[in-house]
Structures are given as C-alpha cells and as structure tokens.
Amino acid sequence: MRKLPLVFALSMFVLISCMKVEEVEGPVLSHGVLEEVEIASSDPMIGVKNAMVYLPPGYDSLDTTTTYPLVFLLHGYGWNYSFFQDIEDIADIADYMISAGEMRKCILVMPDGKNSLGGSFYTDSPFGNYDTYITEEVLSFMEENYPVDTTKIGVLGISMGGYGALKLTVSHPDIFRVGASHSGPIAFQVFLESDPITGINMMGAMLLENPVYDSTGNVVGYRIPYPPLLDQDHPLTTMMFAMAGAFSPVVKPLEEFDTLNYEFPMAQLPDGQWLGVILPIDTTAVPGDTVGLRQDVWEQWLANDVFTLIGQNYTVLDSLNTGLYIDCGGEDELFLQYHAMAVHDLLSSLGIDHYYEVFNQGPLYPPDRFPARHGTHLYLRLRESLRYISEHL
Amino acid sequence: MKPYRLWGLILLFMTASWLTAAGFSLSGVGTKGLSMGGAYRSVVSDWSSIFWNPAGLAAVEMNEISLTGTFISPLSSYVPHTQIPGYDGGYPMRYRVNAKSRLFVLPQIAYVMNADFLSSTKFGVALFTPFGLGASWDLYDPPIGFYERGYTPPKAFPEHDWESDISITCAYAGFARKFGPLSIGLSGGPLFGSISLRKVRLYDPVTVDTSLYSLPVQFRYFPIDTRFDGSGVSFGLNFGIKLEPLKNLTLGLSGRYYSPVKLTGDVNSAIYFPKNSVLESLADPEGKIFFQGGVLEADGDVSTELKLPMSLGGGISYAFGDLTLAFDAELTTWSVLDQIALDITGISFFGDSLPDDTLVMNWRNTWKYSFGIEYRGGERTVIRLGAYYDEGAVTDSTLTPLIPDINSKVSVNVGLSYLLTDRLTFDFNYEFVRASRKSVSNFVDVDSDGEPDNMPGEYSLSVDAAGIGLSFRF
C-alpha cells in the first residue's frame, strides 16, 4: 500500500514517454513509372517521335485484366514531348494526386507536337498531320502496348496544347470524353480585337515586332520581311507563322508565292514544290493603320477555331456530355484570357456544362509579386485539370 | 554546519551541470503548486516559495532538501494554410503536421535552512526553470519538381526545419521573515538563458531580377535554412508577502522581475537552389546558378537582448478544517517582448555583409486565474486539485509553429504528498493542459519588411505533464 503512489507515478511517466504520433499525417506516396518511347507516324513530315508515358502506381505489365483511363498531355509552342516532365515534374504531381486520392489511376501519354515551325497546333497540314498522329497513331500505339480503357480517354494541354486539347475534343468527341485547356488560343476572333489596355490586337502586335526604319532611325512603317525573322526577338511573328503553317499552309512553285504580301515559302519539298504559309493579314502597314485582313485566309483559320467548332458541334458535345475545362491567367501576356471568356460565354449561352476560371491573384498573392501570366501557374493548375478529367473519365 | 546541510549544498552544485530546460511555457515550479493549478501564493510553505512567493519560506519549520523532476510531453499540431504558390508541395498543405514527440525533463533541486542562528529568518537556495519552450517540426520540403529526377543535391534539406528551444534556468537564493501575521520574503540570483531557433525563409529571385516573374511558380522560391544559437547570463528578483488577517484566512502577493538576457551566439544559413537543366540552359550566365541545384552557406556572429516579462500576482486561501481553498490571479507583462533585434556580423551568400535582422514578436500581456484545493486526508497524505485559465501571449500577426503557446489555455491538475517516513515525503502531480484551437487566416507583415511575420493555418496544442519529488527534512 505504501508503494502505491510511486507505482502510480511511474506508470504515468511510462505512459507519457510512450506517446508517439506521426509527424506528417499526409498521404503515403506511391510511385508510378515514367517511360520514354518512340511512336512512328506514316507521315514522313513527322517520322518517328519520342513520347513520355507515365504508368500509375500499382501498374503491372503482366496484369492483363486491369485497364486504365488514358490522358493525353499536349505541350505548348516551342517545347516538345518532355515539357511536362522537364518543367512541371508531372510524374511526381501524378504520384501525389493518386496517392492522396485526388485523381484516379490513369496512364498519361505526352506526345511530341513540335514541327519544323516550332509547333503543329495538333492540326493536319502539309507541315505534318498531327491531328491524325495523335488521334490514330499515338492512340493505336498506346492501345497496343498498354492496358488502356479506350472508352475513357481525356486530353489536356497548355497554350498551343490547350488549343489542341479542346480542338481534338470538339472534333473527336467519339474519342475524347473530356478536354482541358490551360491558356489556350481558343477564340481566334479575339486576335482581331483590341486589347482594352494596350489598344492593339495580336495581329498588330505581330507587326510591331517588324518595324521599318528610315535613314535617321525613325520608324516609318511595319513589314514582315522575306525571309521572315523567326527568333526569340520576334515571338509573336514566330508563333503566328506556326499557326499559319497549321491553318493556312500552301504548296506550290516558288515563283507563285507573293512574298511581298501574305505568302512565305518555308521549305522545298522532294517533288520540287515549296511548302509555305499564308498569313491572314496585310503584312505591311504604316503607323496609324488598322491591320488589313485577308478574309479568305482568315476563313481557313476560323475553320480550325475552337470557338467556331463548338458552334458547329455543340449538339454532339451536349448529347455525349463531353467534359470541357478552360482556364487562363488574368494577366496573360498573349491576352488569352479573352479567348477563355469568349468560349465560356458561348458555352454558357448554349447551355453546355463546363469548368471555367480566369484566375487572378487573391488577396494573399499581391499581383505585383505573383502575376498570373502565361503558363506560370501551370504547376498548380494541373491539379485542377487532372482532377476534373479524372472525375469525367 | 551539520553534515546534512553540507551534503545538500554539494548535491545542489553537482546537479547544476545536468539541468536542462525546454519544452513549454512552464506552469510553475515544484509539484505542490502545480497540483493546485498555481493557486499557491497564499498557501506555499516549502522550498518552491523561492519561485511562487518568497514570503512562504518563513513557514518552513525544518531543514529540507528537495529533489523534483518534471516531465512534460507536449502535442502540438499545425495544418498549414500558407497558400503561396511554390509552397504547395513544400508545405504539406491541408495535412496535419505534428511536432516531433519529445519528453522534456526538468530537474529541480532546493535546499531550505531553518537557521537557528538567524533567529526567525529562513533561508533557501534552489535551481529551477521558470521559462522553457520548444518544438521541432518537419514542415518544409522542397516542392515537387524542385529537383529534377535523378538529381541528388550536395546537401540535403534538413528534416526538422522549424525548431525552437528556449530555456531560462534560475539559481536563486531567498530568505523570509515573519512579523506576527505578516511574512516578507525576497529571492533572487543569476539566471542562465539559452535560445536556439531554426526556421525556413523563402528567397524570391524576383527581388533581384524582375524578368523572373515569368518563371513557373514552383521555382519562385528558394528555401533558406536559418539557425540561430545563443546563450547569456542575467539576474532576476522575486519578492512576496503573506498576511494572515484572520484565522484560517491567508493573503499572498508576489512579483517577479527579470533583467534582460544579453545573448551571444552564432547564426548559420544555407540557401538551396533548384535543379532544372532546361531552365539552366535557357538562363543567362548570371542566372544559371538559380537552377543548378547548389547550396550556398553563410555563417556569422550574433548578439541580441531577450527581454523577459515581469509578473505580479495575488492570492487568497481559506482553510475549512482539513480543506483549504485557494484562488490566485496573475498579470504577466509579455508585451515587453515586442521584438528580438539580432545584431549580426558575417558574410552573406553573395559575398556582402549579413544584414541585421529583427524577429517581430508583438506579444501581449496575459492574465492567469488559478483555483486550487488542498485536503489533508490523514496523517500521511495530502491530496491537491487545481485548475487554471491562462491567456495566450502570442497574437495572430506573429504566430508561427515555433511558439507552442498558441492561444488561451485551460489546465486541470491533480497531485498528492505522501509521508513515506517521518523525514521523507513523496510528492506527485499530473497536469493536463489544452489550448483553444487557433485559426489564422492571413499573412501579416507587421514590420513591412516584405516578409510575413506569421504562418496562417490551424493550430492546436495539448500538454501532459507530471512531476515527482522527494523531500527530506532534518
């Protein structure tokens, strides 16, 4: 009896000293596998391209019964198939999301959409039939080599890839059940509208990259020269040439190109003809001019415009309940937030359910320190789009 | 001097070297006062009077040596809501993080002399720890994508990256004398302070190159692991009175003062850069260092002054036969801790002088209300119960995981004293403290230096503590 207090006290110390807790009550991470593969195209302009494939945690190549949804990740202009891994570390993001239950187990494929102009816009053209490459050849490769559930296919992309993701979804709703665009040029008419802040449109901005000087160094006009200056100092010109390569290409003899105006030969083909592009605007202007539009070429662009295609295919999209995701930074350097707004307004007017967000900095992120620019927040936005896609597959 | 007294002094100085302190804003000293929730100013009559109310020494009837061990096990949790791009993945967003499990052991030792040659004056010395807190967190890891696959940095980011360890140990002597119903006491002596702080700061390269605004957000912050260790000596002083105006009614009043502790020590920092070959290839020559996965380190000397709060409290107790009820109220002037200015000398990562730094504290004064019961259950046993309510000193604008004192706290206490022999007493107490959960929504930059002084999130805290003591009278 006299030892009772001591025994009680010692018991308390043992109890207290044995109390242990997990330091971080987060998910236990499981890791998937990243593979680099080669996927051939029947189109000689594409040839054999590398692609990155992410296989989720628990994937077993010997398991013939389990199938996985497939998600295409389309990179942006100027990048290639390794973008999502090199810059965003998509494998670790997917590992985390799957481990945390934020996303179902999916196979991710990251094909290469880069052509000789820096970007294919995932469109069939003499510069490469990239629509066909993605929707037939890459898809067939994935079906043949991985246990893909072909009824559950989604696609997402950034910038050019954001355009590609929605265009492929709208054009092939029988293949893609859901598409997600981050900062994509998805409403081409906005290219012709003046930005309310700068007072110029994208076509005008492209011309501003190509000034003409007089002998005293004053700007007397603007003209896209031949050969065009396609480099880091002319980013809009470079991108517009890539878009023209996708939407208004031309193949004809060199002497038939109107190199003083809209037409630019880019490469000679084996048969002696020249492969070139036709720009949809007057490539010469003087200060104060409005940009001249070449309507017949512009119609070719609009035929590939996501905004236009939605207007044509919305009944199918609605009937298939196709998932559509659109986001863009509120301070996009290419003013693509207005594209997102235009498509959002269209989908809303058509009564098509979709996800839309033009994200800006909240009160915790002062805009002067964290401007939501083109692609800067993709690391965070991928979690939203992957979650959305996962829910729709 | 009797042999017993000599042995007591030797033991005191021998054990001083292994005393350690850390863990938590301490509730008090000794087992008895804690058992009563700190409602002890008007009750105290043992060695712990040196802390609670030096006038209590006047009631000591025999020489006494006491050895006490307090065991503290805090459980601090934090759910980060930092919401800064670049943190996500670095901080475990939405998931609860628990501080590293630690059991803090705080030994206390005292010697009290009922000196015949000092007439009715009583004398005592004690080593005890009135202040101590500490926490160790695994809060930050470089975010997903910070290092490209297959890359191993030259120095791994530390696992426990937010840490604090602050202790103030007092070596006090005190005396008290009784004048009829009034007792007056004074204690004081040197105090030994040590402080160790480690935290993560995030360096934004945009501050040196605005073109990096277009950098993907996961590369917008480079973590800096900063550690400061310092120690110093100062002194403190306690005073107190006890008054028995009526039979069975006792009043107590006491105050504590601590001189600021001048701390000197070292500061060590290391900045960690991401590794991304693509961005490195795109960067201009001066910017390549930002993406090469390297670690730059800097060291320096630091000095600072740590202000400690005064406290003033009063208590009242009334005895109903074997049952005594006690109540205390105490004001602590934590507002003196508005900031800790670090005077730093050394070379920075980039070759220039390390700038001085200021830790913004912005704390507020607190009130503590204590209630206790003491019951004498026979010749050998005394049972005590207690509770207190203590306001939190830390404001939302400066709350971080470094300081466990997150909010107002409620404590329940139980304890007993058991007379093992005529000379030897065993004391025990158990204390459970729970702080109100604290939710902090927004970052606050109190000193407008561009760096937040708090960490938004959900905070919670509970503490189990127990103590045992042996007192030998002679």
PDB file of all heavy atoms in Angstrom, chain A residues 8 17 98 262 282:
ATOM      1  N   PHE A   8       1.980   4.380  -9.180  1.00  0.00           N
ATOM      2  CA  PHE A   8       1.087   5.211  -9.991  1.00  0.00           C
ATOM      3  C   PHE A   8       1.870   6.260 -10.764  1.00  0.00           C
ATOM      4  O   PHE A   8       1.679   6.468 -11.969  1.00  0.00           O
ATOM      5  CB  PHE A   8       0.057   5.882  -9.073  1.00  0.00           C
ATOM      6  CG  PHE A   8      -0.861   6.835  -9.795  1.00  0.00           C
ATOM      7  CD1 PHE A   8      -1.771   6.372 -10.745  1.00  0.00           C
ATOM      8  CD2 PHE A   8      -0.806   8.189  -9.531  1.00  0.00           C
ATOM      9  CE1 PHE A   8      -2.614   7.245 -11.411  1.00  0.00           C
ATOM     10  CE2 PHE A   8      -1.641   9.070 -10.202  1.00  0.00           C
ATOM     11  CZ  PHE A   8      -2.547   8.595 -11.141  1.00  0.00           C
ATOM     12  N   SER A  17       5.846   9.022 -21.813  1.00  0.00           N
ATOM     13  CA  SER A  17       7.037   8.905 -22.646  1.00  0.00           C
ATOM     14  C   SER A  17       6.801   8.014 -23.851  1.00  0.00           C
ATOM     15  O   SER A  17       7.547   8.082 -24.825  1.00  0.00           O
ATOM     16  CB  SER A  17       8.209   8.371 -21.819  1.00  0.00           C
ATOM     17  OG  SER A  17       7.879   7.102 -21.321  1.00  0.00           O
ATOM     18  N   ILE A  98      -2.560  10.852 -57.050  1.00  0.00           N
ATOM     19  CA  ILE A  98      -3.118   9.492 -56.956  1.00  0.00           C
ATOM     20  C   ILE A  98      -3.010   8.988 -55.520  1.00  0.00           C
ATOM     21  O   ILE A  98      -3.958   8.427 -54.962  1.00  0.00           O
ATOM     22  CB  ILE A  98      -2.391   8.553 -57.946  1.00  0.00           C
ATOM     23  CG1 ILE A  98      -2.760   8.928 -59.379  1.00  0.00           C
ATOM     24  CG2 ILE A  98      -2.732   7.099 -57.654  1.00  0.00           C
ATOM     25  CD1 ILE A  98      -1.937   8.226 -60.446  1.00  0.00           C
ATOM     26  N   TYR A 262       1.392  38.307 -98.521  1.00  0.00           N
ATOM     27  CA  TYR A 262       0.933  37.391 -97.474  1.00  0.00           C
ATOM     28  C   TYR A 262       1.699  36.068 -97.427  1.00  0.00           C
ATOM     29  O   TYR A 262       1.595  35.355 -96.453  1.00  0.00           O
ATOM     30  CB  TYR A 262      -0.534  37.024 -97.713  1.00  0.00           C
ATOM     31  CG  TYR A 262      -1.429  38.186 -98.032  1.00  0.00           C
ATOM     32  CD1 TYR A 262      -1.770  38.491 -99.341  1.00  0.00           C
ATOM     33  CD2 TYR A 262      -1.947  38.945 -96.993  1.00  0.00           C
ATOM     34  CE1 TYR A 262      -2.613  39.548 -99.633  1.00  0.00           C
ATOM     35  CE2 TYR A 262      -2.795  40.010 -97.279  1.00  0.00           C
ATOM     36  CZ  TYR A 262      -3.135  40.314 -98.600  1.00  0.00           C
ATOM     37  OH  TYR A 262      -3.974  41.341 -98.885  1.00  0.00           O
ATOM     38  N   ASP A 282      -2.583  41.739 -93.922  1.00  0.00           N
ATOM     39  CA  ASP A 282      -1.669  42.517 -94.741  1.00  0.00           C
ATOM     40  C   ASP A 282      -0.377  42.664 -93.948  1.00  0.00           C
ATOM     41  O   ASP A 282      -0.383  43.162 -92.819  1.00  0.00           O
ATOM     42  CB  ASP A 282      -2.298  43.882 -95.022  1.00  0.00           C
ATOM     43  CG  ASP A 282      -1.504  44.667 -96.053  1.00  0.00           C
ATOM     44  OD1 ASP A 282      -0.326  44.318 -96.254  1.00  0.00           O
ATOM     45  OD2 ASP A 282      -2.065  45.609 -96.616  1.00  0.00           O
TER      46      ASP A 282
END
